[in-house]
């Protein structure tokens, strides 16, 4: 009899892995419609090693550098592999965007050419892809070592999430589809897939998905409502104006901002829903005759403990990238009431509070669904065994 649960778990792992790999394959092959950008036609991307630099054309004014840096580069791949070419690194005077190269650096290049004739070589940035791959590989290895099969499935979820955002969400936004509805659709699908990878074909999947989606729906409604009340325009998002100037003036940036609120909080909601579902499942396993109200109360107690850290997690996640801005406010002596009233600060407050409100609702929703769905299953099992 003990063999049957083991075989069921093995079949579940095989099924989720197979589905994950198929989804990843489909998403990789799915075209976005933006692969052949005009600015990259007639160009070749390559990696070059800097062998010599010329900084004579750089104009320095305090911390700001403008002008251009010339670099001699040894091409490492592509049609021009082995050749020494002169590349130009344009400086705009922005510390955020500019980069300076030195001998031995590897750079990502855009080579404008016609056949074998090279027109120009522009240095895009330092080459970091090799180090990014190493970092991801080390992360994957450690995750699999410590989490086993669940870790492998988490990696599949990770790549599916990235691909769905890049291959479906972003292209749909650029094509003018409703950001809120597209965001809801993507969030629903990702929530179902990710939790399915955790539990497989099980009532716990339905329980956790239901609780998470009810919380996400609450966050969506509140986000839409308070974005209007706060009078927040979507241009508050980083790089949004650059997007408009790129020829997408008709995009509804405010709706994109609304969607970003519940998309950004959905991960924490899934986490909390799974935690409560697993806790209630364990309680029912130890006490099979527990009633639905008792199971719901157990889920609520777990949710109360988790919510205390989850809301702080959201606060740290959203505010961690704004330390320099807070330092500017303090250095300038800006009053706190002025700080909280600024549009971009109010947008972060909205993100954090509405996301946290969604977390607060996920706990009772999931506890309720767990009490109703999981206890019924245990009672049926008990009746059959008798």
């Amino acid at each position: 009899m003990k063999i049957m649960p083991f075989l069921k778990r093995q079949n579940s792992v095989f099924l989720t892995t197979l589905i994950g790999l198929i989804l990843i394959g489909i998403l990789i092959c799915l075209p976005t419609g933006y692969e052949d950008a005009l600015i990259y036609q007639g160009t070749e991307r390559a990696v070059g090693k800097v062998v010599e630099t010329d900084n004579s054309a750089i104009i320095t004014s305090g911390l700001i550098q403008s002008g251009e840096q010339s670099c001699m580069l040894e091409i490492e791949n592509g049609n021009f592999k082995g050749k020494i070419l002169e590349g130009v690194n344009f400086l705009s005077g922005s510390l955020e965007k500019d980069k300076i190269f030195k001998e031995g650096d590897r750079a990502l290049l855009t080579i404008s050419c016609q056949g074998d004739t090279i027109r120009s070589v522009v240095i895009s940035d330092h080459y970091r892809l090799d180090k990014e791959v190493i970092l991801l590989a080390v992360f994957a290895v450690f995750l699999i070592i410590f989490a086993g099969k669940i870790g492998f499935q988490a990696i599949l979820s990770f790549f599916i999430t990235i691909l769905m955002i890049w291959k479906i969400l972003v292209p749909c936004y650029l094509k003018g589809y409703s950001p809120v509805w597209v965001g809801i659709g993507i969030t629903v699908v990702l929530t179902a897939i990710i939790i399915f990878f955790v539990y497989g074909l099980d009532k716990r999947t339905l329980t956790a998905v239901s609780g998470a989606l009810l919380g996400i729906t609450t966050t969506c409604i509140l986000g839409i409502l308070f974005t209007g009340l706060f009078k927040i325009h979507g241009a508050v998002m980083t790089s949004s104006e650059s997007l408009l100037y790129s020829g997408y003036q008709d995009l509804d940036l405010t709706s994109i901002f609304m969607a970003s609120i519940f998309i950004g909080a959905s991960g924490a909601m899934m986490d909390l829903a799974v935690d409560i579902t697993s806790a209630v499942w364990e309680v029912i396993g130890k006490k099979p005759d527990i009633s639905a109200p008792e199971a719901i109360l157990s889920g609520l107690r777990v949710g109360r403990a988790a919510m205390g850290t989850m809301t702080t997690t959201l606060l740290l996640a959203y505010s961690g990238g704004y330390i320099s801005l807070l330092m500017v406010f303090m250095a300038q002596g800006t009053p706190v009431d002025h700080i909280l009233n600024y549009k971009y600060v109010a947008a972060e407050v909205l993100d954090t509070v509405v996301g946290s409100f969604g977390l607060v609702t996920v706990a009772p929703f999931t506890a309720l669904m767990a009490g109703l769905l999981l206890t019924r299953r245990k009672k049926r099992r008990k009746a059959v065994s008798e």
Side-chain angles (χ1 to χ4, degrees), residues 58-67 91-98 100:
I58 296 178
I59 303 171
T60 302
S61 177
L63 295 175
I64 305 301
Q65 293 179 310
S66 58
L91 304 173
S92 63
S94 170
L95 290 173
E96 178 185 3
K97 299 177 181 179
D98 288 343
I100 296 292

Side-chain angles (χ1 to χ4, degrees), residues 10-20 153 196-197 200-201:
Q10 293 298 106
N11 290 335
S12 177
V13 171
F14 175 77
L15 177 62
T16 54
T17 301
L18 180 62
I19 291 174
Q153 291 172 331
F196 170 72
F197 281 178
L201 292 172

Side-chain angles (χ1 to χ4, degrees), residues 186-236:
I186 293 293
T187 305
V188 169
V189 172
L190 283 176
T191 301
I193 291 173
I194 292 169
I195 296 179
F196 170 72
F197 281 178
V198 174
Y199 294 127
L201 292 172
D202 195 286
K203 278 286 184 68
R204 288 173 293 176
T205 301
L206 178 60
T207 301
V209 169
S210 300
L213 290 182
L214 286 169
I216 291 169
T217 302
T218 303
T219 306
C220 176
I221 294 171
L222 290 174
I224 293 173
L225 175 63
F226 281 95
T227 298
L229 292 175
F230 279 27
K231 300 188 183 301
I232 302 294
H233 190 278
V236 73

Side-chain angles (χ1 to χ4, degrees), residues 332-351:
Q332 294 177 344
T334 308
V336 174
D337 57 339
H338 285 204
I339 294 173
L340 293 175
N341 203 59
Y342 290 143
K343 180 169 63 176
Y344 41 88
V345 176
E348 293 304 313
V349 171
L350 181 62
D351 256 345

Side-chain angles (χ1 to χ4, degrees), residues 20 23-30 32 132-133 135-137 139-140 143 153-172 186-187 189-191 193-194 197 263 266 270:
L23 280 173
I24 289 174
I26 292 172
L27 289 169
I28 289 174
C29 297
L30 185 69
T32 63
E132 290 175 358
V133 170
L135 181 61
L136 284 171
F139 165 72
L143 186 59
Q153 291 172 331
I155 294 171
L156 293 180
S157 301
F158 182 80
F159 282 107
I160 289 172
T161 302
I162 292 174
L163 288 170
M164 287 197 71
I165 291 172
W166 181 249
K167 292 280 191 169
I168 299 177
L169 183 72
V170 174
C172 285
I186 293 293
T187 305
V189 172
L190 283 176
T191 301
I193 291 173
I194 292 169
F197 281 178
I263 292 175
S266 61
M270 280 187 270

